[in-house]
Amino acid sequence: QQQVKQSPQSLIVQKGGISIINCAYENTAFDYFPWYQQFPGKGPALLIAIRPDVSEKKEGRFTISFNKSAKQFSLHIMDSQPGDSATYFCAASGYTGTASKLTFGTGTRLQVTL
Amino acid sequence: DTAVSQTPKYLVTQMGNDKSIKCEQNLGHDTMYWYKQDSKKFLKIMFSYNNKELIINETVPNRFSPKSPDKAHLNLHINSLELGDSAVYFCASSQGLMSRATYNEQFFGPGTRLTVL
């Protein structure tokens, strides 16, 4: 059961453009929504995260937009750079009764071209 | 000064063998995790430990047995390896358990690519 759906699967953006990755979730009990960035051969690393009580969070060129009623959130990368080329995962945290765990989306492979 | 390290980085083995993957973190964290990333890059939690105690155990075949000798180490032993076990296995750690209103960043290791022939 895929509880967090992510799109697109892959994305090609020109340098300086805006990259947009979308995620949708089903479980209304999710209470924390991080985005992870993964470079080839490396483990995922936290990029930015948001709680459902805010609609937007910005850190540098990276912005999360959150729509609680639609159960959707998205990552916007402004002024995309070749160094941003990586796989991006959205995730959602849900409480299991003993602890919370992260459920990841299927990933988006971003390529930023010159 | 690696934060979360895993050994080996690559593991190639035959079906039916038993193998172990080791994980160590030097961040002083209390909580450690094992994730499996399949060929389509889908990342799914397998186990989490807090202070050496098993907290989360997803629907994982009992051929997989995690062991935490101390807070800094979480090893994964896999018995009777199958073709479907081929994947990249990531260890991660966080300062503490995540729970309602407590959000702890998870730090991932570099991964172990397991190939079962």
Side-chain angles (χ1 to χ4, degrees):
Chain A
Q1 181 187 5
Q2 180 57 46
Q3 295 190 53
V4 180
K5 295 184 180 178
Q6 184 171 346
S7 63
Q9 190 174 0
S10 63
L11 182 60
I12 300 175
V13 173
Q14 276 198 323
K15 180 183 174 182
I18 303 174
S19 304
I20 302 174
I21 304 170
N22 301 300
C23 283
Y25 62 96
E26 299 163 6
N27 187 348
T28 55
F30 284 147
D31 56 7
Y32 172 67
F33 301 87
W35 284 87
Y36 279 79
Q37 180 188 54
Q38 184 179 24
F39 292 105
K42 305 290 185 183
L46 180 66
L47 186 63
I48 186 173
I50 197 169
R51 299 185 190 190
D53 53 346
V54 271
S55 59
E56 186 175 282
K57 183 174 181 181
K58 184 176 180 179
E59 290 183 1
R61 295 184 294 110
F62 301 91
T63 300
I64 300 178
S65 297
F66 187 83
N67 186 331
K68 189 173 182 178
S69 60
K71 293 186 286 184
Q72 294 175 347
F73 58 111
S74 59
L75 176 70
H76 291 63
I77 306 174
M78 311 299 288
D79 186 27
S80 299
Q81 299 296 311
D84 297 331
S85 298
T87 300
Y88 292 81
F89 294 92
C90 62
S93 175
Y95 189 65
T96 66
T98 51
S100 291
K101 67 172 187 177
L102 289 177
T103 298
F104 283 84
T106 47
T108 295
R109 187 173 177 179
L110 171 65
Q111 183 182 352
V112 181
T113 60
L114 293 170
Chain B
D1 59 346
T2 304
V4 182
S5 59
Q6 295 179 228
T7 53
K9 188 163 176 65
Y10 300 97
L11 188 51
V12 181
T13 188
Q14 299 287 331
M15 269 176 49
N17 284 351
D18 303 339
K19 289 294 178 186
S20 291
I21 306 172
K22 295 186 176 182
C23 178
E24 177 181 2
Q25 54 94 4
N26 63 6
L27 298 167
H29 288 168
D30 287 339
T31 308
M32 297 185 73
Y33 311 81
W34 277 111
Y35 285 87
K36 179 180 180 180
Q37 187 171 50
D38 63 23
S39 59
K40 295 184 178 179
K41 292 257 185 194
F42 184 57
L43 194 61
K44 186 170 168 39
I45 189 168
M46 300 172 69
F47 304 101
S48 80
Y49 270 72
N50 188 62
N51 285 323
K52 303 193 298 174
E53 180 186 353
L54 180 65
I55 301 296
I56 292 175
N57 184 348
E58 289 294 282
T59 312
V60 177
N62 57 16
R63 298 182 295 103
F64 291 79
S65 52
K67 281 191 172 50
S68 182
D70 55 56
K71 285 197 313 182
H73 296 85
L74 180 62
N75 304 322
L76 183 65
H77 189 76
I78 315 170
N79 288 325
S80 304
L81 278 155
E82 301 178 356
L83 293 176
D85 298 332
S86 295
V88 180
Y89 292 85
F90 287 100
C91 176
S93 73
S94 63
Q95 188 171 12
L97 281 175
M98 288 205 312
S99 63
R100 291 196 185 103
T102 302
Y103 312 106
N104 292 306
E105 178 181 353
Q106 294 186 20
F107 293 81
F108 284 76
T112 295
R113 181 175 293 276
L114 171 65
T115 303
V116 182
L117 303 174

